[in-house]
Amino acid sequence: MTPHDTAVPDGPVHPVTGVRVEQLVVPASVDAHDAADFLESVEVENAIRRDAVGSDELSWEAAELLPGLLDTTWADRRRFVVRENGVAVGFADYETRREGDAAGTAWVDLGVLPDARRRGYGTLLAEHLESLAATEGRSQLIAYVRSLGDGEPRLAPPTGFGSVPAGNGEVRFLQRRGWELGQVMRCSRLALPPDEEALAAVRDRARAAAGDEYRLHTWVGRSPARWLADLADLETRMSTDAPSGGVDEPEDVWTAERVADEEERSLAGPRTRFTAVVEHVASGRLAGFSQVEAPASRERPAFQQDTLVLREHRGHRLGWLLKVATTDLLLAERPGHPAVITYNAEENRPMLDVNEAVGFVPLEHEGVWSKKA
Ligand SMILES: CC(C)(COP(=O)(O)OP(=O)(O)OC[C@H]1O[C@@H](n2cnc3c(N)ncnc32)[C@H](O)[C@@H]1OP(=O)(O)O)[C@@H](O)C(=O)NCCC(=O)NCCS
């Protein structure tokens, strides 16, 4: 018996090759004695991404992925691989929440190395994820799936915004399995340093619109304790107030404790987090927030994380204010990164307007797919 045999003794088996889906041990750190399988799976994931986008710009380092995987309090994240002759050729991720409405959903991802495709490994992994969700009584699965190219014909989501090439392998694969396209996300890239004139124009317009009613605060790393409860509200509203198109994204409830917990784990990783918030002066409560994360290497791009302005505070260009604030903060604190990468729903015109005004250009698209149990 190899060590892999002991990981998941009852993983599903490929009908022809006998290859089995193995659950990986999540190591405590990338240097841990049991980290090798996890590191190998990250290589597979990044090779699939590199093949699709032609660069390593969107890759994740193993140490950047670990903080999320190590959260066992609020979420349950599992990673699987399939091996051919002992070498990992495909990976799959399965993520659920422990409580609330969100516990009814499983967010999944999977990929197979280009040279190992059309041999049934994708099906083996997908069947495993779908049957896990069914066994655990999850009512739906959601997947964010890269779809590149301008091939015709197109498949459009019910939002009517954006589309994916209907003939692409991943689209055929998902449709055959009964998944439905609910939304299209645009991934955009801002080359750094940005055009200062364009940024200044957005900054001036945003400040004029926000006036004295709102106050901007920014910080690097740990959030001040006074804002944790408001940040929890904003994170919760992120799951309900951001456009989710034809996908039934459940409410994912955050508490101050969960925010602090997540922050602690993430700060222990190699990324630096930059936060901007706007305070509604009259109520002393936060009306919106935006976060950017920068990897340790300045040769890699920074990634825009969540940005939200609460519905009741929209129309004051606070999104613009936040976007410029995080960009200014990143440039001041960590100059030298080549770009910022961000993801927005194709129907989210207000956010796309901000990004386009600042100088973001489209890089690629993702379909948001779901399957009801
Ligand atoms: C989509 C992906 C996972 C499929 O993996 P795979 O191991 O090739 O899948 P399978 O061999 O099990 O294919 C099952 C069926 O899907 C369909 N399919 C898969 N790739 C296809 C392609 N390139 N063109 C047309 N149909 C395709 C076919 O119906 C295929 O059955 P067949 O080979 O008997 O005709 C793989 O192409 C991949 O990793 N793509 C990049 C990452 C990605 O898009 N992931 C999807 C996340 S859910």
Side-chain angles (χ1 to χ4, degrees):
M1 247 198 184
T2 69
H4 306 304
D5 289 324
T6 55
V8 177
D10 53 354
V13 176
H14 190 286
V16 180
T17 61
V19 165
R20 201 170 61 203
V21 174
E22 301 166 15
Q23 183 170 347
L24 293 189
V25 171
V26 177
S29 80
V30 292
D31 305 317
H33 72 279
D34 56 357
D37 288 352
F38 174 67
L39 299 182
E40 187 187 14
S41 77
V42 177
E43 276 308 309
V44 169
E45 185 182 355
N46 283 332
I48 292 166
R49 223 177 254 131
R50 191 179 309 127
D51 170 71
V53 294
S55 85
D56 272 319
E57 271 220 325
L58 304 181
S59 293
W60 284 73
E61 282 180 5
E64 295 173 329
L65 284 170
L66 260 189
L69 283 160
L70 287 170
D71 169 12
T72 52
T73 311
W74 314 94
D76 176 14
R77 297 184 173 89
R78 289 170 244 174
R79 175 163 276 226
F80 304 90
V81 290
V82 284
R83 289 173 196 280
E84 207 176 55
N85 304 320
V87 178
V89 293
F91 81 100
D93 282 331
Y94 181 83
E95 174 176 345
T96 58
R97 298 286 174 268
R98 296 204 180 271
E99 285 177 11
D101 276 1
T105 296
W107 288 268
V108 302
D109 188 14
L110 71 94
V112 176
L113 286 176
D115 288 348
R117 289 185 190 158
R118 302 304 286 269
R119 301 218 276 272
Y121 297 136
T123 300
L124 189 66
L125 289 164
E127 275 174 359
H128 185 45
L129 298 173
E130 290 169 13
S131 82
L132 256 183
T135 309
E136 296 177 355
R138 318 275 174 197
S139 53
Q140 68 166 348
L141 295 108
I142 296 180
Y144 287 69
V145 180
R146 170 170 296 116
S147 269
L148 299 180
D150 40 23
E152 299 281 350
R154 312 290 299 178
L155 174 69
T159 58
F161 290 88
S163 61
V164 296
N168 273 20
E170 73 286 351
V171 173
R172 304 273 286 270
F173 176 81
L174 285 158
Q175 282 195 308
R176 194 172 117 155
R177 302 199 60 77
W179 287 67
E180 282 178 18
L181 178 67
Q183 187 180 36
V184 172
M185 305 288 289
R186 181 194 295 189
C187 170
S188 312
R189 182 183 192 273
L190 173 69
L192 296 179
D195 178 337
E196 184 42 47
E197 228 173 276
L199 202 62
V202 174
R203 193 185 293 118
D204 292 347
R205 265 182 86 180
R207 283 187 183 159
D212 297 334
E213 267 187 73
Y214 296 94
R215 191 180 294 142
L216 188 68
H217 304 274
T218 62
W219 61 84
V220 182
R222 184 168 287 106
S223 301
R226 67 183 278 227
W227 295 129
L228 290 182
D230 280 14
L231 285 169
D233 285 347
L234 287 164
E235 288 285 8
T236 304
R237 295 278 291 272
M238 196 65 216
S239 63
T240 55
D241 286 19
S244 62
V247 183
D248 197 5
E249 281 280 359
E251 184 182 48
D252 187 12
V253 178
W254 285 72
T255 58
E257 198 192 351
R258 182 172 170 196
V259 171
D261 227 48
E262 189 279 333
E263 211 165 80
E264 212 49 48
R265 249 189 313 278
S266 141
L267 292 178
R271 287 189 170 190
T272 307
R273 186 178 286 179
F274 303 90
T275 303
V277 297
V278 269
E279 176 188 1
H280 176 236
V281 177
S283 63
R285 302 287 311 271
L286 294 187
F289 82 129
S290 181
Q291 296 186 311
V292 167
E293 285 185 1
S297 160
R298 298 208 191 195
E299 284 170 17
R300 295 177 53 217
F303 289 86
Q304 176 76 57
Q305 305 295 305
D306 295 342
T307 297
L308 183 77
V309 174
L310 294 178
R311 283 190 208 284
E312 52 274 31
H313 294 286
R314 291 188 184 160
H316 303 277
R317 296 212 183 276
L318 299 180
W320 295 52
L321 197 66
L322 288 164
K323 198 75 184 195
V324 175
T326 49
T327 310
D328 285 344
L329 190 60
L330 175 71
L331 292 172
E333 298 286 332
R334 284 184 62 90
H337 288 284
V340 183
I341 306 287
T342 191
Y343 291 82
N344 305 101
E346 272 292 347
E347 69 271 28
N348 193 351
R349 232 324 110 193
M351 244 4 266
L352 291 175
D353 280 345
V354 187
N355 289 339
E356 286 165 7
V358 171
F360 276 91
V361 293
L363 188 68
E364 60 156 3
H365 287 90
E366 278 185 0
V368 191
W369 295 78
S370 67
K371 183 177 182 178
K372 302 280 181 198

